[in-house]
Amino acid sequence: MKSSGTKNITIAVADDHILFRKGLVALLEDFGFVDKIYEASNGLEMLEVLEYAVPMPEIVLLDLRMPVMDGVETTEKIKDKYPDIKIVILTMQDDEGLIMHMIEKGVSGYLLKNAEPDELEKALLTLMIKDFYFNQKLSEIVMKGLFTKGRKPKGMYFDSLFSEREIEVLQLICEEYTSAEIADKLNVSRRTVESHRNNLIEKSGAKNAAGLVIYAIRNGLYKI
C-alpha cells in the first residue's frame, strides 16, 4: 500500500540466493510505491546494473555474503560512485562490530533477513523521507557497541569545530527530524538546513546522517 505523500521509487536488489531474491522481489512488487526493481546475484553484477540503470535506483538492498564481490566492497564502491544512493544491508548477521563498520561505510539501514514484510515496508517508507532506518533491536545493538570496548563518549563539545547552529541541527538529526521538520523548528529554509548538514558531514568525516548520529553520541554531542 502506498503511503500518502510519498513518491514512487526504484529499488535494486543484490543477493546470490535465487529463491530469497525472487521472493524479495515479489514482495517489493506488492508495495504500491515501488515502480521498478533491478536484480543482481553479486556486487559486481550490481555495479554493472547501476552503470546502465535508467532510472537510477534510490535504494539498494544488499546482501553481505556474496561471491565475486561481497556487500562490504560493494558498499564502498557504490558510495564512492553514487553517494546519493541509500544502501540497506539485508543479512542474518547482527554482530555489533559489523553493524558499526557498515554504518561507518555509509549504509542507511540494516535489516535482518528474518524481519517481517511489514518492517521492510516501514524501512523503505522511512528512507523515502529520512536518511536512515534502524529498528529498535539494532539500535540497541549499536548503542551497546558505542558504550563497550572502550568506545565511551569523549565528552567534548567541539566548540572550535562546529557552530552553535550546526550543533542544533546535529542534535535534531539525532532525534530523527527530517530536513523539512528541522527547517520549520529552527525557522530557517530547508536549503539552509541542508547546508548545515553537509558541513556537519564534511567536518565529522561521516558518510551520511546515520554516521552523524554515531559520531554525535560517541563524542558526547548528543545524550541518549
Side-chain angles (χ1 to χ4, degrees):
M1 181 178 294
K2 184 176 179 179
S3 178
S4 177
T6 59
K7 69 181 184 71
N8 287 356
I9 61 172
T10 298
I11 293 177
V13 178
D15 196 296
D16 61 311
H17 293 94
I18 297 175
L19 283 177
F20 177 82
R21 190 175 74 243
K22 293 298 183 182
L24 179 58
V25 169
L27 177 61
L28 292 169
E29 288 173 341
D30 285 340
F31 296 162
F33 55 87
V34 177
D35 262 351
K36 189 170 185 177
I37 304 167
Y38 300 106
E39 293 183 56
S41 62
N42 59 62
L44 185 59
E45 279 189 17
M46 176 55 68
L47 293 174
E48 292 171 351
V49 166
L50 294 179
E51 187 173 354
Y52 299 103
V54 179
M56 184 68 70
E58 289 91 346
I59 298 174
V60 170
L61 302 178
L62 198 61
D63 188 17
L64 275 180
R65 291 186 175 180
M66 297 181 290
V68 185
M69 183 182 293
D70 65 17
V72 178
E73 184 178 357
T74 306
T75 294
E76 293 173 344
K77 292 185 180 298
I78 291 176
K79 296 309 293 184
D80 182 56
K81 192 170 184 180
Y82 312 101
D84 292 334
I85 291 180
K86 296 176 182 178
I87 298 174
V88 177
I89 297 299
L90 280 174
T91 182
M92 289 304 297
Q93 302 178 66
D94 61 357
D95 175 75
E96 65 191 45
L98 179 60
I99 297 172
M100 295 288 294
H101 180 67
M102 295 311 298
I103 292 174
E104 289 168 354
K105 291 292 183 184
V107 304
S108 298
Y110 200 104
L111 282 175
L112 298 181
K113 285 187 174 181
N114 60 3
E116 294 290 337
D118 286 350
E119 185 179 357
L120 174 62
E121 183 176 22
K122 178 183 178 182
L124 296 176
L125 288 169
T126 299
L127 284 170
M128 290 165 69
I129 58 173
K130 296 184 178 181
D131 288 326
F132 61 97
Y133 173 84
F134 296 94
N135 65 20
Q136 183 63 35
K137 178 182 178 181
L138 290 175
S139 294
E140 289 172 359
I141 291 173
V142 170
M143 292 306 102
K144 179 182 176 183
L146 282 171
F147 291 101
T148 57
K149 301 177 183 177
R151 289 179 170 178
K152 299 184 185 302
K154 299 175 184 176
M156 299 171 63
Y157 201 67
F158 293 90
D159 290 310
S160 61
L161 186 58
F162 303 118
S163 69
E164 184 177 342
R165 180 47 60 91
E166 284 171 348
I167 291 175
E168 282 184 282
V169 171
L170 176 59
Q171 291 172 340
L172 290 171
I173 289 173
C174 292
E175 293 172 10
E176 299 188 39
Y177 284 88
T178 65
S179 292
E181 290 168 340
I182 294 173
D184 184 59
K185 194 172 183 66
L186 298 181
N187 197 29
V188 297
S189 70
R190 181 169 179 170
R191 185 173 179 179
T192 297
V193 172
E194 290 296 336
S195 177
H196 288 313
R197 179 183 179 280
N198 291 337
N199 287 341
L200 285 163
I201 287 175
E202 182 178 352
K203 290 178 180 180
S204 68
K207 298 285 187 181
N208 55 18
L212 278 176
V213 173
I214 298 301
Y215 179 92
I217 296 171
R218 180 177 287 167
N219 291 289
L221 293 168
Y222 180 72
K223 308 295 183 184
I224 57 173

